Structures are given as C-alpha cells and as structure tokens.
Amino acid sequence: METIKQVNENAKPTIFGMIGSPSEQFVKMRYNPAFAMALTVVTGLFIIGMWLTTFTMDSIYEGLDLSGEELDMVMLIGKVTAVITGIFSPGLGALFSSVILLLIAKIVRSGVTFKQLFSMNIHLMFISAIGLILNTAVGMAIDQSSTIYFTSLAGVLNSDSAVLGSIELFSIWSAVLLGFGLQKMADFSKTASWVVVILTLLVTIGLAFIGTLFTGLAS
C-alpha cells in the first residue's frame, strides 16, 4: 500500500477510471479526495439523462385528458422538474450517503473522513449516470415509455414490478464498487464492507416494496 501511496499521492481520481481501474481511484481518493471535477461532470450527465427521460414520457402526457395548452404546460413543468432534479440529486445523494457511511465508520472505528467518503460517493454516482443515460437512450430508440430500467430484472422479465425494477445492473455494480472502496479507502474489514453493500441493496429493494404497497393502497 505504501508503494501505491508514493506513486499516487499527488494524483487525483478520475470518474472514467471508475470503469477500468476503480481500485486505483479509491487509493487516490484516500490521499487526495478531490471531487469538484467529478461533481461537475456527474451533475452534467444527470441533467442530460433526466432531460432525455422527459422525452420518453411524452406518450404518457399525451394520454392525459388535457387541452393543448394544458398539455404543453404539464410537459414544460416535467422538463423543468427533471433538470432541477438532475442538478441537485447527485450532490444531495452523495451528501446523504456520506453522512450515513461516516456514522458507520465511527462504529467500526475507521479513520476515514467525510471528504474522502463524499469523493467516493460522487465518483460512484458516475456509474448511476451511465445507467440513467443508457436506459433512457434505449427507451427513446424503441419509442417506449417506462419508468423501469431495461437493465433491471423487471426489464429482463418485461414486468412493471418496482421491486424487480430495483434489482438493477448498474445499482449492483455501484454497490459492489462501494464495498471495494470501503476496504481500499476507509479501512473497513471485508465483513463490514459487504454487510454495508448487502444492507444498501436490501434498503433499495425495501423502499421499492414500500412504494408499491402504498401505491396499491392508494388505488
């Protein structure tokens, strides 16, 4: 580890390195937890992804019983909301995740800092951004309106289940990288790291189940 530190102590992590060399990026984050560039790029990708998502929802909007002016207003509000979501969701998501992980780090007596965790979570958001844009692009290409990712279990099984939709390739990829990141950067044990990963995936599935339950009760 000391040799890696000497080589990379002045190097900054890169978001594109999260695909080909994630372990190296986690080591860089440990000694140089930069995140400004990553936050800028990831936010830009989320804005693009959310904006593209609104075009896949056109057929849903057009199915509403609205006049032409009302439909235009609803679509405009949808696009503005999507852009605002794209602007704030990466930073706020990384902030929330970093606070939770910092609390866990205190429990397992890790010396990781909030800045290191925030840098890691922002770089992990790049994986989510790829998933968002890829799935939206596929939806536009086949002219299909759906909130279900094609890379999820629901997409594979052609199901509308939100629970199956939460079991998704890019989410699992990001969670696995989180496990390695906690070991490489935060000195979590393997057991603690994978417990966090499993809990993260279970919480995601649980929230989808609760959302489905409330939707059913409302209907």
Side-chain angles (χ1 to χ4, degrees), residues 9 12 20 25 54 56 60 69-71 73 90-91 119 130-131 144 173 206 208 210 219:
E9 61 183 356
K12 294 182 179 180
Q25 308 315 311
T54 63
T56 66
I60 295 178
E69 291 183 357
E70 291 173 334
L71 179 60
M73 181 59 67
S119 177
I130 295 174
Q144 179 173 331
W173 182 5
I210 292 173
S219 60

Side-chain angles (χ1 to χ4, degrees), residues 26-27 41 46 67 80 84 89 114 170 172 176 184 205 213 218:
F26 291 134
V27 173
V41 174
F46 263 85
S67 66
V80 172
I84 293 175
S89 59
F114 175 82
F170 288 92
I172 295 174
V176 170
K184 291 282 186 180
I205 296 172
L213 183 63

Side-chain angles (χ1 to χ4, degrees), residues 86-163:
I87 292 173
F88 292 104
S89 59
L92 291 178
L95 177 64
F96 178 76
S97 298
S98 299
V99 169
I100 298 299
L101 289 175
L102 187 60
L103 294 176
I104 297 174
K106 299 298 182 184
I107 296 174
V108 300
R109 298 182 179 180
S110 166
V112 69
T113 66
F114 175 82
K115 186 176 181 180
Q116 289 171 324
L117 291 172
F118 189 79
S119 177
M120 178 184 69
N121 282 311
I122 284 295
H123 283 79
L124 288 176
M125 283 281 182
F126 179 57
I127 306 300
S128 300
I130 295 174
L132 172 62
I133 292 178
L134 175 62
N135 279 277
T136 303
V138 171
M140 294 179 67
I142 64 176
D143 194 24
Q144 179 173 331
S145 300
S146 176
T147 57
I148 299 296
Y149 273 19
F150 299 97
T151 52
S152 69
L153 191 56
V156 172
L157 299 177
N158 195 26
S159 169
D160 291 329
S161 170
V163 175

